[in-house]
Amino acid sequence: MTTARLYRTVRLIRRFEERAIEFVRSGEIVGGIHPYVGQEAIATGVCAALRESDVLTSTHRGHGHVLARGVDPARLFAELMGRESGLNKGRGGSMHAADFSLGILGANAIVGAAGSIATGAAWAHRRQGRDTVAVTFFGDGAMNEGMLLEAFNLAALWRVPVIFVCENNGYATTMPVASAVAGSISGRARAFGIPAFTIDGQDPEKVLAATSSAVDRARAGKGPTFLECTTYRFDAHHTFEHRTRLTYRSTEEVSAGRSRDPVEIQGARLTAAEREQLDAEVEALLDAAAGIALGSAHPDPAAALEYLYASPEVMR
């Protein structure tokens, strides 16, 4: 993955999220979103280390993960808007994006739940003789969820080729991590015998290097790795904060967090001309994507019960 491609991905995620916030404000996206602004380097670096045959699971703050994996921005915009051309025909919305063709087994609104799905998927692929690696993303708040700890246990016990990526942005919604997690986050994984590393989650190249090592280890049959990516969420936990104006973070803290911007860190590795060209490409792509999404039809209410069951029959 070249320096330019890493920059293009962090820039794409940033501008997609900023535009999505605008669509929330205009009412095109109903119900709001959990912005990924500030955490783009993690999705970018992790997904750059994967093969097309690998799989991932995501979180309620998952737009960046699926974009870094290669999802069409037009289909993601349409999904957020509840349109028929969306990834899941407008039925999943912001927190449930999935695309099996890209190995995206789904984002998950239940904190920590996707870790078990990724562990099971990686185990199943290995049982079938494949060298597929699974990655699962989650936040620091998931470290207190039993289902995730159970996934750690089985992954370590069975040497499952799964990479656990904790995006530690310092808060579980509004609760500081120091008030919620006893001991250390990486220490939780080490307790299960899983190699655990704390890395700079604001630098996509450092994330890529750490993930590449974890992927190599998993493919070699050596089992899981845990990566704690320290990061900072620049925007709200959820866009409802734009109205409620919660004050759990000071202006000074947010300003300090913004001082290490993944877009600027990666952008500094390019020339001004290279950045300008890539920025223009991203804007043109998102202009077209937004137009496609806005022009897409809403699902027919009469088809609301379709796709709920594995059987093609519709329960009425």
Side-chain angles (χ1 to χ4, degrees):
M1 176 66 76
T2 66
T3 298
R5 288 180 65 190
L6 289 172
Y7 174 76
R8 184 185 185 281
T9 303
V10 294
R11 179 70 179 183
L12 172 65
I13 297 170
R14 172 66 57 84
R15 291 296 295 133
F16 180 96
E17 291 291 73
E18 290 174 343
R19 287 184 177 224
I21 292 170
E22 293 173 5
F23 285 133
V24 171
R25 289 171 173 159
S26 70
E28 294 292 347
I29 295 176
V30 178
I33 63 171
H34 297 82
Y36 196 64
V37 177
Q39 301 182 199
E40 299 89 350
I42 303 173
T44 298
V46 169
C47 290
L50 302 179
R51 293 178 184 170
E52 289 185 6
S53 57
D54 294 330
V55 298
L56 66 81
T57 62
S58 183
T59 71
H60 57 278
R61 198 182 311 282
H63 306 162
H65 307 147
V66 299
L67 286 168
R69 187 60 176 154
V71 153
D72 179 354
R75 295 186 67 206
L76 185 55
F77 270 139
E79 186 61 33
L80 303 187
M81 296 176 187
R83 305 300 180 98
E84 189 68 36
S85 65
L87 284 172
N88 310 118
K89 296 185 178 295
R91 290 161 167 81
S94 175
M95 295 190 285
H96 301 94
D99 188 339
F100 284 16
S101 71
L102 294 173
I104 301 167
L105 305 184
N108 200 310
I110 302 173
V111 175
S116 299
I117 297 171
T119 300
W123 177 81
H125 279 289
R126 192 186 68 178
R127 291 276 292 178
Q128 293 168 3
R130 305 188 186 100
D131 66 351
T132 300
V133 171
V135 169
T136 183
F137 296 93
F138 49 89
D140 49 275
M143 295 304 297
N144 293 319
E145 295 294 337
M147 69 189 95
L148 182 61
L149 301 180
E150 291 172 17
F152 290 171
N153 185 60
L154 287 179
L157 191 64
W158 295 343
R159 301 175 72 86
V160 177
V162 59
I163 301 168
F164 297 102
V165 179
C166 178
E167 299 182 304
N168 181 5
N169 63 25
Y171 291 89
T173 308
T174 61
M175 180 177 288
V177 65
S179 301
V181 179
S184 70
I185 285 178
S186 292
R188 297 257 177 116
R190 293 191 189 102
F192 292 91
I194 299 175
F197 306 92
T198 300
I199 59 177
D200 180 3
Q202 300 304 91
D203 188 329
E205 297 196 358
K206 290 181 179 178
V207 176
L208 172 57
T211 308
S212 296
S213 295
V215 166
D216 290 343
R217 183 174 182 276
R219 290 205 208 284
K222 296 180 180 179
T225 300
F226 181 96
L227 301 177
E228 178 191 4
C229 300
T230 57
T231 185
Y232 195 78
R233 170 170 50 77
F234 293 180
D235 208 281
H237 165 71
H238 187 277
T239 48
F240 80 87
E241 288 184 30
H242 295 167
R243 298 191 304 273
T244 57
R245 305 293 182 184
L246 299 181
T247 56
Y248 59 96
R249 303 189 298 181
S250 68
T251 302
E252 292 75 19
E253 178 189 320
V254 175
S255 178
R258 283 181 170 273
S259 67
R260 299 199 69 247
D261 188 327
V263 175
E264 297 305 321
I265 289 172
Q266 191 62 23
R269 294 169 175 144
L270 301 173
T271 66
E274 288 172 326
R275 283 191 69 172
E276 183 177 352
Q277 178 181 343
L278 289 168
D279 289 353
E281 289 177 6
V282 167
E283 291 305 311
L285 174 64
L286 293 178
D287 281 344
I292 292 169
L294 290 168
S296 179
H298 290 279
D300 183 350
L305 296 181
E306 292 182 0
Y307 310 109
L308 291 180
Y309 306 94
S311 167
E313 296 183 14
V314 178
M315 304 298 290
R316 299 190 186 279

